[in-house]
């Protein structure tokens, strides 16, 4: 026999680790109700994506839609592919959400998105490096680089290509 408990918290880590299901509210309205992993991996709108965990936010316009993949032209002209989640259609604005741990500093050729970036700052955190880059006109773009032996050596000021899969980048409702 299970016991249902409702627990209210503003601590995201606490909510994700203690819960079977999490409700994210904004101004008293449920934005998404789902399992912790679904909430983090598949946010249904920009509010949830920005509220739960860390993400890189990129604004642009949808230029094409093929099944569940959108082509998006960012405001600086960079063209990316993203999973269609919550967009109105071609010609409409969208905000892309991309988790820092989904980005590779040695991109595979099969990744739909490979873009240049410049390393602005690196912070060593033991299990990973937190790398702040300038990417597509955004100098607050964060990449989490796993601490692995034999990994490419990175340095501030270095220009490198980074990449990610379209499925890891979510096309959501626009945020100003």
């Amino acid at each position: 026999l299970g016991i249902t408990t409702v627990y209210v918290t503003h601590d995201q880590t606490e909510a994700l680790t203690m819960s079977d299901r999490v409700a994210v509210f904004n101004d008293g309205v449920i934005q998404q109700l789902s399992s912790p992993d679904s909430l983090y991996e598949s946010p249904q709108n920009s509010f949830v994506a920005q509220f739960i965990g860390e993400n890189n936010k990129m604004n642009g316009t949808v230029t094409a839609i093929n099944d569940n993949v959108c082509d998006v032209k960012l405001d600086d002209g960079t063209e990316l592919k993203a999973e269609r989640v919550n967009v109105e259609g071609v010609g409409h604005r969208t905000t892309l959400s991309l988790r820092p741990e989904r980005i590779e500093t040695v991109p595979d050729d099969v990744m739909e998105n490979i873009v240049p970036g410049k390393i602005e700052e690196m912070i060593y955190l033991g299990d990973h490096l937190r790398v702040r880059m300038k990417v597509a006109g955004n100098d607050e773009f964060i990449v989490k680089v796993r601490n692995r032996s034999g990994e490419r050596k990175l340095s501030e000021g270095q220009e490198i290509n980074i990449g990610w899969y379209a499925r890891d980048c979510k096309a959501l409702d626009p945020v100003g």
Side-chain angles (χ1 to χ4, degrees):
L1 198 63
I3 298 175
T4 299
T5 303
V6 175
Y7 185 76
V8 178
T9 182
H10 292 276
D11 184 325
Q12 295 173 24
T13 303
E14 188 174 59
L16 294 175
T17 57
M18 290 180 53
S19 307
D20 296 320
R21 292 174 54 81
V22 177
V24 175
F25 284 81
N26 184 19
D27 289 332
V29 177
I30 293 177
Q31 299 296 305
Q32 188 170 342
L33 172 63
S34 45
S35 65
D37 62 326
S38 179
L39 205 60
Y40 184 85
E41 301 291 341
S42 302
Q44 295 303 300
N45 64 38
S46 291
F47 180 83
V48 174
Q50 292 179 39
F51 187 78
I52 298 293
E54 186 175 26
N55 77 82
N56 291 297
K57 178 176 83 168
M58 299 168 280
N59 294 315
T61 302
V62 177
T63 58
I65 299 174
N66 297 301
D67 295 324
N68 67 335
V69 176
C70 293
D71 291 349
V72 176
K73 187 171 189 175
L74 299 184
D75 294 343
D76 80 325
T78 301
E79 296 183 12
L80 299 174
K81 292 189 180 296
E83 179 182 339
R84 179 185 186 182
V85 178
N86 185 359
V87 295
E88 287 189 45
V90 174
H92 289 270
R93 300 284 294 164
T94 184
T95 294
L96 302 182
S97 173
L98 175 64
R99 303 285 185 197
E101 68 273 12
R102 300 293 183 178
I103 304 161
E104 296 295 333
T105 56
V106 182
D108 293 330
D109 291 341
V110 295
M111 291 180 162
E112 296 92 343
N113 300 298
I114 298 177
V115 298
K118 181 180 178 186
I119 298 174
E120 301 288 337
E121 177 184 36
M122 296 190 320
I123 301 171
Y124 179 81
L125 294 170
D127 63 339
H128 75 279
L129 278 174
R130 180 182 170 82
V131 180
R132 183 175 60 83
M133 300 183 71
K134 182 170 187 171
V135 174
N138 175 2
D139 63 0
E140 295 296 324
F141 195 92
I142 302 298
V143 179
K144 289 183 180 175
V145 180
R146 293 181 302 274
N147 186 357
R148 297 188 298 198
S149 62
E151 192 68 28
R152 168 193 235 177
K153 296 294 182 205
L154 302 174
S155 59
E156 290 182 13
Q158 185 178 10
E159 294 187 12
I160 63 170
N161 282 339
I162 59 172
W164 60 88
Y165 293 102
R167 68 178 177 263
D168 291 326
C169 187
K170 311 300 181 187
L172 302 168
D173 51 308
V175 173

